[in-house]
Amino acid sequence: MRVTQSMLSNNMLRHISKSYESMAKTQEQLTTGKKISRPSDDPVVAMKGMTYRTNLTEVEQYKRNLSEAYNWMENSDAALDKATSVMQRIRELTVQASNGTYEESQKGMIGKEIEQLKEHLVSIANTQVAGKYIFNGNDTTNKPVDLSETPSVSENKNSVNLALSQGIEVAVNINPKNVFTHTAGPPESGLFGDINELKKALESTSGEDIGGFLDKLDSHINNLVAERAELGARYNRVELIDARIGEQEVIANRILSDNEDADIERVITDLKMQESLHRAALGVGSRIMQPTLMDFLR
């Protein structure tokens, strides 16, 4: 079969064109750092990439939920710590007032301080984080404690659950009735009701036994400590979940990188090789294109 100069030229131009395409693709990988820039470049890589990105998106959402969980639980723990300190101060004042040497005027002053401490307890119970009341279950727009209302303490037992991992939800709040009232009986007989009765006894001239309130105060302090311990146990679990999610995030990023990211060193090597082959092809092509009819007639 006779091969003409035209056929050689056409083949040479076609191969040079493919060489340009190969170099362009390699240069694109070098510029973007990715193996592909469109699904048609490698459908398998593209499909895997969609799955890996979905997994990574889920992990990132769990990370955001974990931040929200820490926000709720750390603020709740801080508030319970302050409430415990207030109750311990009220107990200390009650011990002082139960001393038989205290005069009525002195007891009255203690009663006024206890009233201020009670108001401070109300403000602690109505703690807000980002405009949400954290001690009122899932009803975050209303105060959990309002002494002007009946009942004065919210009875909302619904927990605030956050999805922190696949199939795992953790309650990030506390039940206000476990802290600000007894677990049984009307709210008025709970924490604030007992403090009101203590204040009345301090202002009374009947000589009511003040020391009798110590057991009630101890009960409320134990409620605070128990609820804080339970919250701490859940916090420890959240930390374990956080560590696991952190590992999953690292793995998800690595798998996504292995699937999509180009090996830069290999890309540079391939580009240099393609450039060498391209220059060689151009050199050979120039020799093929160079002869003319006059060269054959000589």
Side-chain angles (χ1 to χ4, degrees), residues 209-270:
D209 181 20
I210 303 300
F213 286 92
L214 291 175
D215 288 341
K216 294 181 179 180
L217 294 176
D218 288 339
S219 176
H220 292 304
I221 291 174
N222 289 335
N223 288 340
L224 281 164
V225 172
E227 193 68 17
R228 191 179 179 192
E230 197 276 336
L231 179 66
R234 280 184 279 136
Y235 187 90
N236 291 337
R237 185 187 180 193
V238 170
E239 287 186 319
L240 293 174
I241 295 174
D242 189 13
R244 177 55 182 157
I245 291 297
E247 294 173 355
Q248 291 179 341
E249 184 179 29
V250 171
I251 294 172
N253 278 309
R254 177 177 58 79
I255 292 176
L256 182 62
S257 176
D258 291 342
N259 181 69
E260 294 185 353
D261 292 351
D263 184 345
I264 299 301
E265 294 182 356
R266 181 175 179 180
V267 171
I268 292 174
T269 301
D270 290 345

Side-chain angles (χ1 to χ4, degrees), residues 167-213:
I168 298 177
E169 291 188 355
V170 176
V172 297
N173 66 323
I174 67 165
N175 186 342
K177 292 190 68 175
N178 293 344
V179 175
F180 304 114
T181 63
H182 289 305
T183 55
E188 288 71 17
S189 67
L191 175 62
F192 296 105
D194 289 340
I195 293 177
N196 282 335
E197 292 301 317
L198 172 60
K199 179 176 177 292
K200 291 178 182 179
L202 288 168
E203 296 173 346
S204 174
T205 59
S206 62
E208 184 177 349
D209 181 20
I210 303 300
F213 286 92

Side-chain angles (χ1 to χ4, degrees), residues 87-113:
M87 289 302 300
Q88 288 172 341
R89 176 56 181 167
I90 292 176
R91 190 186 191 283
E92 179 184 339
L93 291 171
T94 303
V95 171
Q96 292 178 10
S98 64
N99 190 329
T101 62
Y102 270 63
E103 299 177 356
E104 291 181 4
S105 60
Q106 292 174 312
K107 291 181 180 180
M109 293 300 295
I110 290 176
K112 291 181 179 180
E113 182 176 350

